[in-house]
């Protein structure tokens, strides 16, 4: 194994101000791109070597798309011919020393003149360690691949058991969280149940497959308009998804989910899409953190620091219109990244900074074929086929990379006409930690 002490970040000395960006997601990427041609050395640090397009992550998890269709290598976007004095390093940042102006990684420290935290969020289990251990989160590509393997393994095993109780638990799927990720995953699973699974597994009776969507509030898609929530509930019910509102999952041990009120659901698969918290970096004073996010002023400057900024999901900017901060969606991150590039230039050239104003471009969610909802403005909502077309176009437009757009579009067209998707592959079997029975079962199929 490679000893990390033999590596260094290897960033050349510079006389230009150095901007260190942690995270190449929607915020970090748009900041870095817009710093091109400005007089900075730019260092982008990310624990993964790609930019992930998370709105399509559920399609990877439900075997609709391959992961490479929703990710773009960061180095491909920032090759040295494209951007002089830009450096990408594949490394996780563990902490910041604000007094010494350095970031800390396992392979060494790096000094910064300007630091931007753009680390996004991670799943929030609200302190429930048992659920954290046993549930399937859906925040990163490895999560989606785990879930895809788990779903396909459940169908395979359901076709091989004579035990009705075990078979039912393999065919029960619980999705916790009625936000866009939960709704979209439930819809995609229901489409699989209707169009794909009966022909793949002719021996299994898929009328027994249950999809539960559990939401703690009194409606699905709580951030969207009540009209869109109501339409979404109707679409989910048309797809025979069991929606439980005002409901919480209290425990899940990998076999049985216990709901508030005592109902038990035997299931091998519980997807956790119920909450997120900021992916914080150690080293910030506690007064700069509120509800897991970093407090920033209208210029995205972290409270009490002139040279440290936070953008996107990790940033909490309270304004009159958004007293609890901006919604945790891609647009605030994109817009803050672009504006911060301008403001960093203004800062070094002695100009006044421009405050951030969020341009809300509306919200969308898809529930399955020809079913979607769109809040285009406060007063204008559309649903059904029109919203579905808008959803497809908007997602294609914002997906990074021409190749990715082509791949995704061709997959969607193929699926539309054939009702098929070609990615039902268990490339890397999923085995829950400590599940020795399944490990032994799967190891029989391993080759030398
Ligand atoms: C499943 C899912 C579906 C979604 N659907 C939608 C949707 O339909 N529409 C919409 O607008 N929004 C959607 N969102 C939300 C949207 O993706 C986020 O709001 C957006 O990604 C925020 O951008 P960001 O730059 O703040 O963070 P991210 O895009 O998450 O990027 C954070 C980056 O930081 C890196 N990172 C984190 N910690 C470290 C560390 N310690 N060291 C180094 N690197 C680190 C990560 O690897 C990542 O690349 C969805 C999110 C998810 C998870």
């Amino acid at each position: 194994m490679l000893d990390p002490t033999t590596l260094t970040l290897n960033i050349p000395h510079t006389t230009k101000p150095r901007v260190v960006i942690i995270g190449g997601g929607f915020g970090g990427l748009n900041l870095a791109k817009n710093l091109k041609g400005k007089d900075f050395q730019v260092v982008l640090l990310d624990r993964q070597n790609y930019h992930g397009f998370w709105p399509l992550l559920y399609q990877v998890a439900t075997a609709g798309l391959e992961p490479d269709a929703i990710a773009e290598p960061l180095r491909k976007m920032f090759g040295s011919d494209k951007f002089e004095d830009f450096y990408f390093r594949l490394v996780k940042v563990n902490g910041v020393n604000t007094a010494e102006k350095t970031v800390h990684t396992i392979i060494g420290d790096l000094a910064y003149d300007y630091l931007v935290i753009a680390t996004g969020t991670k799943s929030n289990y609200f302190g429930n360690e048992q659920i954290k251990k046993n549930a399937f989160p859906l925040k990163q590509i490895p999560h989606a691949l785990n879930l895809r393997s788990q779903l396909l393994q459940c169908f395979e095993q359901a076709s091989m058991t004579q035990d009705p109780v075990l078979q039912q638990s393999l065919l029960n799927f619980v999705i916790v969280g009625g936000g866009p990720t939960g709704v979209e995953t439930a819809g995609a699973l229901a489409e699989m149940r209707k169009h794909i699974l009966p022909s793949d597994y002719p021996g299994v009776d898929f009328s027994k497959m249950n999809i539960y969507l559990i939401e703690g509030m009194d409606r699905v898609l709580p951030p969207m308009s009540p009209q869109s929530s109501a339409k979404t509930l109707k679409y989910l019910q048309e797809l025979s998804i069991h929606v439980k509102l005002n409901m919480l999952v209290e425990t899940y041990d990998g076999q049985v989910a216990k709901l508030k009120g005592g109902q038990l659901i035997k299931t091998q698969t519980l997807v956790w899409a119920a909450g997120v918290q900021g992916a914080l970096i150690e080293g910030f004073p506690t007064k700069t953190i509120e509800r897991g996010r970093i407090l920033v002023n209208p210029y995205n400057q972290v409270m009490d620091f002139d040279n440290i900024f936070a953008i996107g999901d990790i940033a909490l900017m309270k304004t009159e219109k958004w007293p609890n901060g901006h919604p945790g969606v891609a647009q605030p991150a994109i817009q803050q990244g672009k504006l911060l590039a301008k403001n960093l230039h203004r800062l070094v050239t002695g100009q006044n900074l421009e405050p951030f104003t969020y341009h809300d471009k509306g919200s969308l969610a898809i529930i399955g074929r020809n079913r979607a909802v769109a809040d285009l403005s406060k007063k204008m909502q559309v649903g059904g086929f029109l919203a579905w077309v808008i959803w497809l176009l908007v997602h294609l437009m914002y997906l990074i990379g021409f190749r990715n757009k082509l791949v995704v579009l061709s997959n969607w067209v193929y699926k539309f006409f054939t009702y098929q998707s070609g990615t039902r592959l268990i490339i890397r079997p999923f085995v829950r930690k400590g599940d020795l029975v399944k490990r032994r079962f799967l190891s029989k199929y391993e080759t030398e």
Side-chain angles (χ1 to χ4, degrees):
M1 188 138 139
L2 190 64
D3 177 0
T5 59
T6 59
L7 302 176
T8 68
L9 285 166
N10 210 10
I11 305 291
H13 176 74
T14 180
T15 50
K16 295 180 197 167
R18 177 184 287 158
V19 181
V20 174
I21 305 168
I22 311 175
F26 285 96
L29 180 70
N30 280 281
L31 166 63
K33 274 183 171 176
N34 286 282
L35 284 175
K36 186 180 171 187
K38 300 195 167 71
D39 213 14
F40 294 105
Q41 182 188 67
V42 178
V43 181
L44 175 61
L45 307 174
D46 202 306
R47 61 183 178 194
Q48 57 198 25
N49 76 337
Y50 51 83
H51 166 82
F53 189 75
W54 309 134
L56 294 182
L57 192 63
Y58 83 95
Q59 295 204 6
V60 175
T62 52
L65 289 173
E66 280 298 347
D68 64 334
I70 68 155
E72 186 75 349
L74 288 162
R75 284 188 182 272
K76 187 175 158 201
M77 288 185 265
F78 292 103
S80 60
D81 52 329
K82 294 181 187 154
F83 196 157
E84 212 184 295
D85 224 358
F86 170 90
Y87 301 89
F88 169 72
R89 294 294 179 260
L90 176 65
V91 72
K92 181 176 177 191
V93 175
N94 295 323
V96 176
N97 186 329
T98 54
E100 290 179 10
K101 293 194 190 174
T102 54
V103 296
H104 175 63
T105 78
I106 193 171
I107 56 167
D109 294 350
L110 180 68
Y112 61 81
D113 295 298
Y114 298 100
L115 175 65
V116 183
I117 317 289
T119 48
T121 55
K122 57 182 184 178
S123 293
N124 186 355
Y125 299 91
F126 306 101
N128 192 323
E129 287 300 317
Q130 192 205 34
I131 292 183
K132 182 177 176 182
K133 185 171 160 225
N134 295 304
F136 287 82
L138 198 45
K139 287 284 300 161
Q140 300 170 14
I141 285 179
H143 297 159
L145 291 177
N146 282 345
L147 182 55
R148 179 173 92 177
S149 294
Q150 167 72 3
L151 296 174
L152 297 170
Q153 286 168 209
C154 282
F155 303 136
E156 293 296 339
Q157 288 157 13
S159 74
M160 291 190 284
T161 180
Q162 304 286 333
D163 177 344
V165 177
L166 174 62
Q167 191 185 55
Q168 191 58 63
S169 85
L170 289 162
L171 293 177
N172 284 343
F173 298 94
V174 176
I175 297 161
V176 190
T181 302
V183 162
E184 291 173 356
T185 308
L189 257 180
E191 296 280 349
M192 263 180 115
R193 173 176 61 185
K194 190 168 169 197
H195 300 297
I196 292 174
L197 299 176
S199 65
D200 271 15
Y201 303 90
V204 179
D205 175 4
F206 280 97
S207 67
K208 290 184 185 153
M209 175 174 157
N210 291 311
I211 304 163
Y212 297 92
L213 182 65
I214 316 277
E215 166 56 44
M217 297 183 67
D218 59 359
R219 61 186 176 107
V220 288
L221 298 180
M224 291 188 74
S225 64
Q227 292 87 334
S228 290
S229 291
K231 248 184 220 153
T232 302
L233 181 63
K234 183 176 142 272
Y235 294 152
L236 291 165
Q237 286 165 343
E238 282 168 8
L239 289 168
S240 303
I241 293 165
H242 307 294
V243 182
K244 291 177 179 284
L245 300 175
N246 296 309
M247 183 50 73
L248 298 173
V249 174
E250 287 180 342
T251 60
Y252 177 58
D253 61 3
Q255 301 291 323
V256 181
K258 181 172 168 243
L259 310 191
K260 189 184 83 178
Q263 187 187 348
L264 302 177
I265 302 174
K266 285 198 171 145
T267 178
Q268 308 278 320
T269 315
L270 181 139
V271 181
W272 189 256
V276 291
Q277 58 184 330
L280 290 169
I281 302 280
E282 290 209 352
F284 287 100
T286 44
K287 67 174 178 181
T288 61
I289 316 283
E290 193 178 304
R291 286 181 286 122
R293 296 167 80 184
I294 302 177
L295 280 164
V296 295
N297 68 13
Y299 314 107
N300 284 96
Q301 274 164 321
V302 177
M303 206 174 134
D304 293 345
F305 295 98
D306 291 339
N307 62 337
I308 306 182
F309 301 79
I311 56 175
D313 280 0
I314 188 78
L316 178 56
M317 183 190 291
K318 296 183 189 177
T319 64
E320 211 177 306
K321 191 165 174 207
W322 302 97
N324 296 316
H326 298 100
V329 290
Q331 276 303 325
I334 293 171
Q335 293 172 25
Q336 287 178 354
K338 287 180 180 169
L339 178 67
L340 183 54
K342 273 195 211 163
N343 273 339
L344 282 171
H345 176 69
R346 285 167 180 260
L347 200 62
V348 291
T349 50
Q351 301 174 58
N352 289 337
L353 302 188
E354 196 182 307
F356 177 69
T357 310
Y358 175 43
H359 301 290
D360 189 353
K361 297 192 173 173
S363 315
L364 296 161
I366 189 168
I367 304 98
R369 173 182 285 254
N370 299 345
R371 292 181 176 95
V373 287
D375 286 351
L376 300 177
S377 69
K378 274 223 160 97
K379 288 190 186 141
M380 195 174 166
Q381 294 92 25
V382 289
F385 182 73
L386 178 61
W388 183 74
V389 172
I390 296 174
W391 188 96
L392 298 181
L393 292 177
V394 166
H395 284 74
L396 266 187
M397 198 167 85
Y398 280 98
L399 181 63
I400 307 275
F402 182 65
R403 177 194 159 277
N404 289 351
K405 288 181 204 278
L406 271 185
V407 172
V408 169
L409 179 63
S410 58
N411 267 276
W412 286 350
V413 171
Y414 176 75
K415 193 173 176 186
F416 184 77
F417 289 109
T418 64
Y419 289 84
Q420 281 289 328
S421 62
T423 64
R424 301 192 295 285
L425 309 175
I426 304 170
I427 304 283
R428 192 191 58 176
F430 175 75
V431 182
R432 201 173 262 129
K433 265 188 204 148
D435 189 344
L436 296 177
V437 178
K438 197 177 273 178
R439 190 173 293 281
R440 248 180 273 132
F441 171 79
L442 289 165
S443 69
K444 287 187 188 152
Y445 298 91
E446 280 171 10
T447 52
E448 288 297 307

